[in-house]
Amino acid sequence: MTISQQMNKIEHLAEAIVGKYFMADQERALMEPIVSDESIIQHWNNSLAAHGLEALRMSLYMSVLSAMNSLLFDNYAKTASLYNVCKMLEDERLVGLLRENYCKSFEVNHLNDVLDEEDKRLIEASIHAEHRERAAEDFDQRLKVVREGYQRLCESSLAKRVQKARDRMVAHYQVTSLEGERRLYNPAD
């Protein structure tokens, strides 16, 4: 893959990740009242509607869980995931091109008409040099935050719980036993 293709791919991955995140967040927002508001559940207690509500809750939960797991950790090369973005950021050629784009110069407008062209050129060169230096430092700091933040996320108890729940519920439909009764793994477990 050429460097320009990698650049194009990482841009598309970032856009897709944001879209996936917003979709998962909307599903989570739909799910929240039926998970945390006991009055909703009690309203339909011991009725067919309560079973439907539980099915809806589990469907939304599994959808959010699957989406977030994919968004964060999926390593399939064509998947829009933070894992794949961070993996791409190991390529120093790509990082160099991203840094270069981040540090691009901008147009300088002169409000003083008494300056000659040489003075304007010197001022612009000074402004651009200062901008490139600051932007490069900012880029490097942001890249460090992304790399370290993703590493901490991968090592966190949250990541382990998401992966465990995903493995048990989505990938394997794990069956468990509670008080002698067999049932599918519940996220509350």
Side-chain angles (χ1 to χ4, degrees):
M1 184 181 304
T2 68
I3 195 72
S4 64
Q5 289 171 323
Q6 286 182 342
M7 186 73 164
N8 191 26
K9 181 178 179 177
I10 203 166
E11 288 173 3
H12 287 291
L13 287 177
E15 289 174 13
I17 287 169
V18 171
K20 282 172 61 174
Y21 171 78
F22 283 123
M23 289 298 297
D25 188 54
Q26 288 174 346
E27 289 176 339
R28 183 211 48 82
L30 284 171
M31 182 180 66
E32 192 170 310
I34 61 177
V35 170
S36 59
D37 189 346
E38 288 297 322
S39 66
I40 292 174
I41 297 168
Q42 289 175 353
H43 179 72
W44 290 310
N45 200 16
N46 295 324
S47 71
L48 291 176
H51 296 292
L53 186 64
E54 180 63 20
L56 177 61
R57 181 172 77 161
M58 288 303 294
S59 293
L60 286 169
Y61 183 82
M62 289 178 71
S63 179
V64 170
L65 180 65
S66 179
M68 291 308 295
N69 186 72
S70 171
L71 179 96
L72 296 171
F73 307 117
D74 197 327
N75 61 5
Y76 180 65
K78 294 183 178 183
T79 301
S81 68
L82 289 178
Y83 172 88
N84 285 333
V85 168
C86 289
K87 195 72 174 162
M88 290 181 77
L89 291 175
E90 292 175 3
D91 182 340
E92 287 304 318
R93 291 177 317 134
L94 178 60
V95 169
L97 185 58
L98 290 168
R99 182 183 295 107
E100 184 181 313
N101 283 349
Y102 190 80
C103 299
K104 276 189 177 169
S105 297
F106 50 88
E107 185 178 341
V108 176
N109 294 312
H110 297 277
L111 301 177
N112 186 342
D113 290 335
V114 296
L115 293 174
D116 64 18
E117 290 305 312
E118 179 63 18
D119 288 339
K120 287 180 181 180
R121 191 189 63 69
L122 290 172
I123 290 170
E124 287 177 17
S126 174
I127 290 171
H128 289 152
E130 183 178 343
H131 167 72
R132 277 191 303 277
E133 183 180 328
R134 286 184 181 182
E137 289 174 9
D138 186 51
F139 178 88
D140 291 340
Q141 182 60 33
R142 289 174 188 262
L143 181 61
K144 180 181 176 187
V145 166
V146 166
R147 288 176 170 163
E148 290 174 356
Y150 185 72
Q151 186 64 37
R152 277 193 317 275
L153 173 67
C154 288
E155 296 167 355
S156 72
S157 65
L158 174 64
K160 290 173 179 59
R161 290 192 329 260
V162 165
Q163 190 66 43
K164 181 179 177 181
R166 181 235 167 242
D167 288 349
R168 290 184 174 182
M169 291 181 62
V170 179
H172 308 299
Y173 288 103
Q174 182 171 327
V175 175
T176 189
S177 180
L178 183 66
E179 299 172 4
E181 184 180 326
R182 307 289 291 162
R183 63 181 175 79
L184 288 175
Y185 179 81
N186 187 313
D189 297 343

